[in-house]
């Protein structure tokens, strides 16, 4: 590593340690990080000057002067997160521990013109700043979770089928209008970062975050950093083949993981099997709803103990387990965090089926050692995840806040 990279790296290690384990003494920091005393003194001095950490209370001493303890100052700066969707968008302004100061959900009314959409977002962000009464200069950055293929370094949406956009430099436009550093990423990656900073992924160097909803996607954290891959295409676990002659996927292939484990797969199985189980409570629900059934309904009946619904949820969990075991065999993470609305609602039944399959299909690693954890961010909030994109700014001295890492 180049010297400037080492100092950025050390700064971020130290800040994360104080944030997660503070109040903490300088001596304890030295023990836990192996950083030299002069390095710690210098970094602590910088972080205090920026207001990101503060001295608090006095710790125990083993003789001599009693040490001041250091703790993270969550109110020193603020972050803004935006979820951009074609039906609705959400914007939030939070402190550095993601406590909301202001939140707004706006209906997009299917507007797709670039200017109009960006103006709506700008108006919403300005509204959050005004309502929370924070100084614009204290906002570290803005993160936006966007749909489509991206060039995150350049802040460009390369292609968004949902909006019909091509090459929209959304981050630049917003940064120029508001004078605040702006970052973009996909919803899945934003949520993965959120788990890494605040959720089940805290302190884990290598993990995958698998989101199971209407589709399936994954974010990968390798050595503490988000891995994007060539053309930022990493993590498309939903389109890995698990059953070659399986159901047709929207990508054009057959038997992709998401056709077998995501929300719509529950509905498809229910409709296919219900005639063989006319006495199941799932059949009652189908009749009551005049032939319409949703994934939520299948999950609900499974939770009530209907055997057909349970079998369907467990089968989806089993296929998810195949996909996750493949991921583990390739990438050897310490943990896999599983979230998204299907996983959240189906809970234990789904996760246990996945765990069982993973246990049987992981090869080199001892499966007991790999933690399969539910996501801790229950409301599945992409806006909050996106806000954490702005936390990248914490790794570098704030006076150089325009430098991207
Ligand atoms: Zn597919």
């Amino acid at each position: 590593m180049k010297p400037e990279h080492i100092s950025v790296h050390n700064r971020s290690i130290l800040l994360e340690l104080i944030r997660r384990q503070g109040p903490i003494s300088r001596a304890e920091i030295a023990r836990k990080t192996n950083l030299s005393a002069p390095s710690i003194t210098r970094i602590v001095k910088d972080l205090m000057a920026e207001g990101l950490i503060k001295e608090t209370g006095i710790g125990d001493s083993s003789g001599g002067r009693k040490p001041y303890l250091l703790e993270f100052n969550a109110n020193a700066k603020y972050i803004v997160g935006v979820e951009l969707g074609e039906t609705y968008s959400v914007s939030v302004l939070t402190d550095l521990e993601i406590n909301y100061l202001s939140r707004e959900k706006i209906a997009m009314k299917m507007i797709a013109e670039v200017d109009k959409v960006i103006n709506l977002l700008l108006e919403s962000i300005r509204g959050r700043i005004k309502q929370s009464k924070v100084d614009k200069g204290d906002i570290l950055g803005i993160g936006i979770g966007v749909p489509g293929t991206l060039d995150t370094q350049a802040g460009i949406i390369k292609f968004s089928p949902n909006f019909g956009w091509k090459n929209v430099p959304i981050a630049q436009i917003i940064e120029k209008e508001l004078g605040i550093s702006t970052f973009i990423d996909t919803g899945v990656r934003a949520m993965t970062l959120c788990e890494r900073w605040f959720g089940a992924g805290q302190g884990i160097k290598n993990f995958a975050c698998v989101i199971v909803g209407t589709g399936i996607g994954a974010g990968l954290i390798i050595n503490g950093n988000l891995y994007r891959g060539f053309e930022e295409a990493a993590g498309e676990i939903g389109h890995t083949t698990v059953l070659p002659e399986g159901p047709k996927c929207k990508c054009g292939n057959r038997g992709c993981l998401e056709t077998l484990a995501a929300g719509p797969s529950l509905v498809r199985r229910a409709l296919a099997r219900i005639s063989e189980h006319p006495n199941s409570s799932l059949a009652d629900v189908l009749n009551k709803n005049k032939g319409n059934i949703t994934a939520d309904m299948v999950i609900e009946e499974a939770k009530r103990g209907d055997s057909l619904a349970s079998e369907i949820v467990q089968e989806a969990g089993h296929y998810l387990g195949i996909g996750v075991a493949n991921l583990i065999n390739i990438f050897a993470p310490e943990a896999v965090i599983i979230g998204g609305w299907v996983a959240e609602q189906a809970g234990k039944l789904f996760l246990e089926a996945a765990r069982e399959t993973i246990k049987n299909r992981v090869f080199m690693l001892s499966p007991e050692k790999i933690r399969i954890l539910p996501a801790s961010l229950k409301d599945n909030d992409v806006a909050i995840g996106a806000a954490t994109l702005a936390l990248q700014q914490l790794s570098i001295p704030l006076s150089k806040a325009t430098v991207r890492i």
Side-chain angles (χ1 to χ4, degrees), residues 326-337:
N326 289 342
L327 184 79
I328 292 171
N329 284 331
I330 294 167
F331 145 75
E334 295 155 62
V336 179
I337 297 169

Side-chain angles (χ1 to χ4, degrees), residues 238-239 249-253 256 258-259:
H239 297 285
C249 180
K250 66 181 182 213
C251 73
N253 277 322
C256 293
E258 72 176 41
T259 66

Side-chain angles (χ1 to χ4, degrees), residues 61-132:
S61 112
S62 48
R65 194 157 57 95
K66 288 196 172 176
Y68 275 105
L69 302 179
L70 299 167
E71 76 176 5
F72 186 59
N73 184 11
N75 291 315
K77 299 281 167 188
Y78 302 93
I79 47 181
V80 171
V82 178
E83 173 185 4
L84 171 62
E86 69 270 48
T87 316
Y88 67 86
S89 293
V90 177
S91 66
V92 297
L93 191 149
T94 79
D95 66 13
L96 297 178
E97 290 287 12
I98 61 169
N99 299 305
Y100 290 104
L101 274 77
S102 179
R103 182 180 196 274
E104 184 185 44
K105 186 170 179 175
I106 44 174
M108 302 300 282
K109 298 173 189 151
M110 305 313 275
I111 295 168
E113 292 94 327
V114 175
D115 294 357
K116 285 186 182 166
V117 169
I118 290 180
N119 278 337
L120 275 176
L121 297 186
L122 285 169
E123 202 180 305
S124 183
I125 295 168
R126 287 194 180 107
R128 293 323 90 230
I129 298 171
K130 201 172 163 197
Q131 195 184 50
S132 54

Side-chain angles (χ1 to χ4, degrees), residues 41-230:
T41 305
R42 186 175 45 78
I43 300 170
V44 163
K45 202 173 141 212
D46 286 350
L47 292 173
M48 279 180 59
E50 289 162 31
L52 288 170
I53 58 171
K54 55 186 179 189
E55 280 185 327
T56 171
I58 295 174
D60 295 330
S61 112
S62 48
R65 194 157 57 95
K66 288 196 172 176
Y68 275 105
L69 302 179
L70 299 167
E71 76 176 5
F72 186 59
N73 184 11
N75 291 315
K77 299 281 167 188
Y78 302 93
I79 47 181
V80 171
V82 178
E83 173 185 4
L84 171 62
E86 69 270 48
T87 316
Y88 67 86
S89 293
V90 177
S91 66
V92 297
L93 191 149
T94 79
D95 66 13
L96 297 178
E97 290 287 12
I98 61 169
N99 299 305
Y100 290 104
L101 274 77
S102 179
R103 182 180 196 274
E104 184 185 44
K105 186 170 179 175
I106 44 174
M108 302 300 282
K109 298 173 189 151
M110 305 313 275
I111 295 168
E113 292 94 327
V114 175
D115 294 357
K116 285 186 182 166
V117 169
I118 290 180
N119 278 337
L120 275 176
L121 297 186
L122 285 169
E123 202 180 305
S124 183
I125 295 168
R126 287 194 180 107
R128 293 323 90 230
I129 298 171
K130 201 172 163 197
Q131 195 184 50
S132 54
K133 298 190 177 76
V134 306
D135 193 83
K136 206 175 84 173
D138 284 338
I139 297 174
L140 263 184
I142 299 168
I144 312 177
V146 294
T149 55
L150 313 175
D151 177 344
T152 54
Q153 279 295 307
I156 293 172
I157 299 178
K158 290 198 290 189
F159 176 54
S160 170
N162 304 26
F163 284 104
W165 292 355
K166 271 192 181 154
N167 297 321
V168 176
I170 187 166
Q172 258 179 45
I173 299 171
I174 289 184
E175 197 165 296
K176 207 172 149 202
E177 282 291 327
L178 297 174
I180 302 169
S181 303
T182 303
F183 307 87
I184 59 169
D185 220 321
T186 59
V188 171
R189 292 200 187 112
M191 297 213 31
T192 303
L193 272 183
C194 203
E195 290 290 339
R196 179 226 179 284
W197 283 92
F198 301 107
Q202 285 186 78
I204 305 178
K205 271 175 88 177
N206 298 292
F207 72 87
C209 185
V210 178
I211 308 291
V212 189
T214 308
I216 297 180
L220 306 174
I221 296 285
I222 298 182
N223 280 329
N225 296 312
L226 200 55
Y227 176 75
R228 292 194 169 86
F230 181 54

